[in-house]
Amino acid sequence: MIAIPALNEEENVLVDMGAELNGYKSDMTRSFYYGHKNDRFQEIYDLVLAAQNNALLGMRDGVKSNKVHELAMDVIADGGYGEHFPHGLGHGIGLDIHEMPFLSLIRTPSTLEAGMAITVEPGVYIEGWGGVRIEDLVTITNNGLLILSKCPKNPYIR
């Protein structure tokens, strides 16, 4: 059983979840804001969502993994939060939760190939405030991407 603390009147909530079926893993994150609409949260949420969408548009068979990371990082950096995106954009997933390829600037680049299952999870985290991450699981196909995550992206929970 997981203990969930009581929420304050206004609070960021980040939920990272996954499941396993026949040994295969999944991974998904959603960020929520508990309370009334918050302009700062909305600005950062929209930026992270735009970064994810930009990366998804560039993902296809034959693209280098580090280039996909750059597509998301460029959006976040242009929005003024580049130093607040401290991790890679995503990772392969299968029988292990973290597999090749790694969508990152510090790992050896891989070439994306049809059949790969990969997470795409840009995030912005600010000390003393909280963070926003939106993570979806996708599969590279011969014709583009298949987005496997089906959870809506509505960040308000009150």
Side-chain angles (χ1 to χ4, degrees):
M1 184 152 112
I2 299 173
I4 299 175
L7 296 174
N8 296 320
E9 284 295 314
E10 305 271 327
E11 192 161 1
N12 295 3
V13 179
L14 191 145
V15 180
D16 191 354
M17 62 198 101
E20 183 175 328
L21 179 65
N22 298 326
Y24 288 91
K25 313 292 190 275
S26 71
D27 200 5
M28 185 180 73
T29 303
R30 290 294 185 264
S31 293
F32 303 98
Y33 192 81
Y34 179 77
H36 300 288
K37 186 173 181 181
N38 179 284
D39 291 338
R40 186 173 191 200
F41 177 86
Q42 189 67 54
E43 172 197 357
I44 294 170
Y45 187 92
D46 290 346
L47 184 67
V48 170
L49 185 58
Q52 186 191 50
N53 287 334
N54 201 46
L56 291 170
L57 287 172
M59 291 181 76
R60 61 187 173 281
D61 186 54
V63 171
K64 291 287 188 184
S65 57
N66 60 330
K67 296 300 181 192
V68 177
H69 178 94
E70 289 174 356
L71 290 170
M73 177 54 92
D74 288 348
V75 172
I76 291 173
D78 288 349
Y81 290 95
E83 70 277 10
H84 298 286
F85 179 25
H87 57 74
L89 176 65
H91 53 85
I93 190 167
L95 294 173
D96 289 321
I97 194 73
H98 296 107
E99 297 182 350
M100 295 288 289
F102 292 96
L103 307 180
S104 169
L105 297 180
I106 61 172
R107 300 272 191 138
T108 302
S110 302
T111 301
L112 302 185
E113 299 175 13
M116 289 181 164
I118 304 170
T119 68
V120 182
E121 53 185 292
V124 169
Y125 314 92
I126 301 170
E127 189 171 335
W129 179 78
V132 172
R133 181 169 69 228
I134 303 169
E135 177 183 22
D136 285 303
L137 182 58
V138 304
T139 297
I140 306 290
T141 73
N142 290 324
N143 300 319
L145 283 184
L146 175 62
I147 299 175
L148 301 174
S149 304
K150 301 299 182 197
C151 183
K153 296 177 186 175
N154 178 2
Y156 291 97
I157 55 170
R158 183 172 270 226

